[in-house]
Amino acid sequence: MKSKEELRKLDVNYLFHPTVILEEHEQKGPRIIVEGNGLRVKDIDGKEYIDAFSSLWNVVIGHGQKAVAQAIMEQLNKLEYFSPFYGFAMPPAIELAAKVISLMPKEWNMGRVLFTCGGSETNDSNIKIARMYWSLKGKDQKKKIISRNCAYHGLTIGSMVATGIEYFKMHFEPLAPGFRHIMAPYCYRCELNLTYPECGIACAKALEEIIQKEGPDTVGAFIGEPVMGTGGTIPPPDEYWPMVRKICDKYDVLFIADEVVTGFGRTGKMFGCMNWNVRPDLISIAKGITSGYFPLGGAIMSNEVYETIKGGLGSIMPFLHGFTYNNHPVGCAAGLANLKIIEEQHLIQNATKMGAYLADRLKGLYDHKSVGDIRSIGLMAAVEIVKDKQTKEQIGTMPMESTHRIEDLMWEKGVYGRAMFENIAVAPPLTVTKTEIDTIVDALDSSIAQMEREML
Ligand SMILES: Cc1ncc(COP(=O)(O)O)c(C=O)c1O
């Protein structure tokens, strides 16, 4: 292996990084991570860190689980890949599709899985499937997609437009047409300045209003994360999803549940929608399906959607959407091994138990003058930082000044938490222990205190 100095130089000269300030990256260079075990990762200088964000919400089973590496190697040694087009299949993809469907409540009546390579590609696939569904039902106008402000659905051309955070769209115009946004169920910063529960869940009613405004015959699908992630870890009020489902049923609008973050136990249930017993028509999965051991996502459709598409296309026309790496056998072998660990190690039960402990420990942070709101569900939590609890203004003139500082201070203390706009998010692997939660919350606590001394 090359020396660390050589690697840093090569990185800066050749590797392009997503979501960094390019000039700053060239000055600072990369943080090179070389090993991982459980919640711990080690950098190239040998320093250990607790990964309190499951890397990018995805390393659900923790780092270094050898059974997944072994499953990947076994599949690679048997067959690395064969085309998924024209009806070919490999055993791990067949088994994983059946397994994923078996994990869903029967009453959802989910039918087929198309495995992809990640979340954005999956959301684009589901948007296309929703449009094809209406087209084949003879409703060619029913193509608009409704999503929400603060939503994050990925950054491909389609999923980026569904994303409701304008920051991610700058300089990438022109944007694909046919998307509309409504307000998020973000009680702490309600767009209408209403208070729960007197608000009557106006954020859910906003869906009905926009469908009526646009015309029900033009709206094909509503896409939403059961719990908004990147937008700030925003669990909705309990009434929200049942109301949304009713509105979707009333106006014949498909509900695409973006379970990319919430799928596979993150919220203390196998899928986020299970927290509110809400049935999706299409589901997007990624991240936790392989815990990052191999890139994999999946577009899941209900039997009703599948049968409509099958019947509509008939006996001559193929389903003309797909990618070279759909149903990849190595990814699917990783997925099977990953799900086995989630089940055998009772990680969802642990997420519920440790999630309650995390929520309890986080409450103590309200003593800080800059902590405006704390939100969590299962092992998905965020602490919102403000200059003033009354005005809820941000600290500093630029977005994320205080949260980036907190993230850096936590990193210096050996804990990886993630700045997301004015929030610090923590979402550790589902294997987390109480002692590890204590270390994470202590680092967050002292980092917030230090940021306040420096910036307030
Ligand atoms: C809810 C949600 N959907 C979709 C995506 C996009 O996934 P990917 O980055 O794998 O394309 C993400 C990524 O963080 C996400 O959080």
Side-chain angles (χ1 to χ4, degrees), residues 89-270:
M90 283 139 279
I94 300 170
E95 279 182 48
L96 186 62
K99 179 71 196 171
V100 167
I101 296 288
S102 80
L103 296 174
M104 295 179 169
K106 287 264 174 302
E107 59 275 18
W108 287 7
N109 196 20
M110 299 313 284
R112 298 289 187 284
V113 188
L114 173 72
F115 291 107
T116 63
C117 294
S120 307
E121 203 183 280
T122 301
N123 282 328
D124 274 24
S125 297
N126 271 335
I127 288 167
K128 285 180 71 179
I129 290 167
R131 287 181 167 167
M132 176 181 261
Y133 170 87
W134 289 118
S135 203
L136 293 171
K137 279 194 157 227
K139 299 197 174 175
D140 276 324
Q141 302 302 309
K142 216 166 157 54
K143 297 294 177 73
K144 285 179 199 158
I145 309 294
I146 312 287
S147 68
R148 301 171 297 173
N149 301 334
C150 298
Y152 188 87
H153 297 298
L155 295 179
T156 47
I157 291 283
S159 65
M160 171 186 69
V161 190
T163 288
I165 305 165
E166 295 312 302
Y167 194 48
F168 286 111
K169 303 178 192 176
M170 281 165 74
H171 309 298
F172 293 118
E173 304 85 359
L175 303 178
F179 289 80
R180 301 285 184 277
H181 292 84
I182 57 170
M183 66 174 143
Y186 191 177
C187 296
Y188 183 65
R189 292 187 186 277
C190 174
E191 285 184 30
L192 300 176
N193 276 323
L194 299 174
T195 312
Y196 176 81
E198 294 77 39
C199 61
I201 328 298
C203 47
K205 291 180 183 157
L207 177 60
E208 180 156 28
E209 284 156 21
I210 198 157
I211 295 172
Q212 286 173 344
K213 181 169 161 255
E214 296 291 330
D217 288 346
T218 73
V219 178
F222 172 70
I223 181 167
E225 305 150 84
V227 179
M228 297 179 116
T230 303
T233 304
I234 307 170
D238 279 343
E239 300 86 336
Y240 182 82
W241 282 116
M243 284 173 73
V244 164
R245 180 70 249 186
K246 257 196 187 152
I247 297 165
C248 288
D249 287 341
K250 184 170 168 190
Y251 294 98
D252 265 348
V253 168
L254 296 176
F255 167 38
I256 306 172
D258 181 346
E259 293 263 11
V260 167
V261 166
T262 49
F264 306 102
R266 172 63 55 203
T267 67
K269 301 273 185 204
M270 185 57 85

